[in-house]
Amino acid sequence: MSARERRQVASDAGLSKKRVVVEAVRLADREGVGELSMRRLARALGAGAMSLYYYVASKEELLDAMIDVVFEEIELPPEETDWQSAMRRRAVSARQVLARHPWAIGLMESRTSPGPANLRHREAVTACLRRAGFPVLMATHANWLLDSYVYGFALQESSLPFDTADEFADMAKDVFLPQLPPDEFPYLNESAAVLAAAGYDPAEEFTFGLNLVLAALEPLRVPT
């Protein structure tokens, strides 16, 4: 099929690059990126697989565009506040976005042809750290550390067998405690019982760890 013919087919199907990418993100959210193929995407769009190549030349180009959508959703660190508050807001936003798109966690740092939103995001993060007084190398260290924390937490959170504090309490009492006889696992038994009774919410661990990371980075900058 010629480029002109593919263009005509795409036009007839009401396609656009934005529609193709948005539908690809929806499929990945629902089924995982491993299930995404150009043929599967074309079926979801009601189009022929070949017509998609008018908008994205390859699966890799499609993934680049999908990751750019994810970066577009993450709040940039605001300029009107201190660096810790700015990076905290950015980290919290990134965690929320990755919870919506867990398939993206392992792809955020893998793209060698980053899109405009990806680059804008990285520029804003670097600018925030540099303006705060972190030298270039130290800003790079800080960026790696913060991203590793956010991505790692998002990955762990996506695999948890519970979503809320109430669900955790139920699992602690009904699932974990029966597997932890106190004579064999006294500390684990105690921890599970105390946390369940206290209404412990594992989601709060993100803020606890993030505050520690930010506090540890503070002495490493050279205030301007």
Side-chain angles (χ1 to χ4, degrees), residues 59-175:
K59 174 76 172 293
E60 288 302 305
E61 185 175 314
L62 177 62
L63 290 174
D64 287 339
M66 292 167 64
I67 290 299
D68 216 49
V69 169
V70 176
F71 272 105
E72 185 71 42
E73 293 181 15
I74 300 174
E75 181 181 357
L76 299 179
E79 298 182 12
E80 68 278 4
T81 186
D82 64 278
W83 81 271
Q84 287 199 31
S85 298
M87 295 305 290
R88 184 178 291 106
R89 282 176 58 175
R90 176 257 181 181
V92 169
S93 176
R95 175 199 177 194
Q96 293 169 343
V97 170
L98 292 174
R100 294 196 296 270
H101 310 298
W103 56 269
I105 298 171
L107 296 173
M108 297 293 280
E109 300 302 316
S110 70
R111 313 320 300 163
T112 56
S113 299
N118 188 332
L119 293 175
R120 281 195 303 270
H121 185 91
R122 296 180 187 281
E123 174 69 13
V125 169
T126 303
C128 177
L129 295 170
R130 293 287 288 116
R131 284 195 296 263
F134 289 95
V136 170
L137 183 57
M138 196 56 66
T140 303
H141 290 330
N143 196 359
W144 271 90
L145 178 59
L146 286 162
D147 280 353
S148 296
Y149 177 72
V150 173
Y151 297 154
F153 193 96
L155 181 62
Q156 184 179 41
E157 192 170 40
S158 70
S159 66
L160 292 176
F162 46 81
D163 293 321
T164 66
D166 288 341
E167 289 179 4
F168 170 80
D170 290 341
M171 289 202 72
K173 290 182 291 186
D174 301 334
V175 178

Side-chain angles (χ1 to χ4, degrees), residues 1-38:
M1 181 182 290
S2 68
R4 182 176 180 178
E5 290 171 328
R6 288 198 300 272
R7 224 174 8 250
Q8 184 61 49
V9 171
S11 176
D12 291 345
L15 296 183
S16 66
K17 182 171 183 177
K18 180 177 180 180
R19 186 181 171 208
V20 168
V21 174
V22 167
E23 185 60 34
V25 170
R26 287 175 181 160
L27 281 174
D29 289 346
R30 186 166 62 248
E31 302 174 8
V33 74
E35 299 300 316
L36 180 65
S37 68
M38 300 298 271

